């Protein structure tokens, strides 16, 4: 029988965890050949926690209510109101449902998200 604490670990290394391919609509790609991947770590009533990754390039998106923390990479997320957030490890961000965004990734971006 394993340690109870072990059953609470979602991943031992968020940076090395293998992610599965996710869908990126061709019309959302603005520049480059970015690829998106993700993996759900935990689901419960009203909440999902996972890891999401986007390789270099520029894409548009319409956001859902989300909080995320950048684990690795470098980029920016720009909003239609003209504001922009620099994304680097350690930055925590709150997105609102309906936000229209442009993600520019200079170095593969990996984040942990809660929706």
């Amino acid at each position: 029988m394993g340690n109870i604490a072990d059953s609470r670990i979602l991943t031992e290394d968020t940076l090395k965890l293998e992610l599965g391919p996710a869908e990126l609509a061709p019309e959302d790609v603005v520049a480059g050949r970015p690829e998106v991947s993700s993996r759900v770590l935990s689901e419960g009533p009203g909440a999902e926690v996972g890891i999401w990754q986007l390789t270099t390039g520029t894409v548009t998106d319409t956001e859902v209510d989300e909080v995320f923390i950048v684990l690795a990479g470098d980029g920016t997320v720009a909003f239609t109101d003209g504001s922009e957030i620099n994304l680097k490890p350690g930055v925590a961000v709150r997105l609102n449902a309906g936000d229209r965004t442009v993600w520019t990734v200079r170095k593969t971006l990996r984040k942990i998200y809660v929706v």
Side-chain angles (χ1 to χ4, degrees), residues 13-88:
D13 193 336
T14 57
L15 296 176
K16 293 182 181 177
L17 184 67
E18 268 191 58
L19 308 178
E23 209 172 305
L24 186 60
E27 62 270 16
D28 290 341
V29 176
V30 175
R33 297 179 59 124
E35 295 179 4
V36 65
S37 56
S38 65
R39 182 166 176 180
V40 174
L41 297 176
S42 179
E43 291 180 279
E48 176 181 293
V49 177
I51 297 177
W52 179 91
Q53 180 170 287
L54 182 64
T55 62
T56 58
T58 303
V59 299
T60 62
D61 198 12
T62 301
E63 302 302 335
V64 298
D65 283 325
E66 175 183 338
V67 172
F68 70 86
I69 298 171
V70 177
L71 300 171
D74 178 58
T76 57
V77 60
F79 299 84
T80 54
D81 67 5
S83 62
E84 187 173 284
I85 298 171
N86 290 318
L87 302 173
K88 61 183 180 179

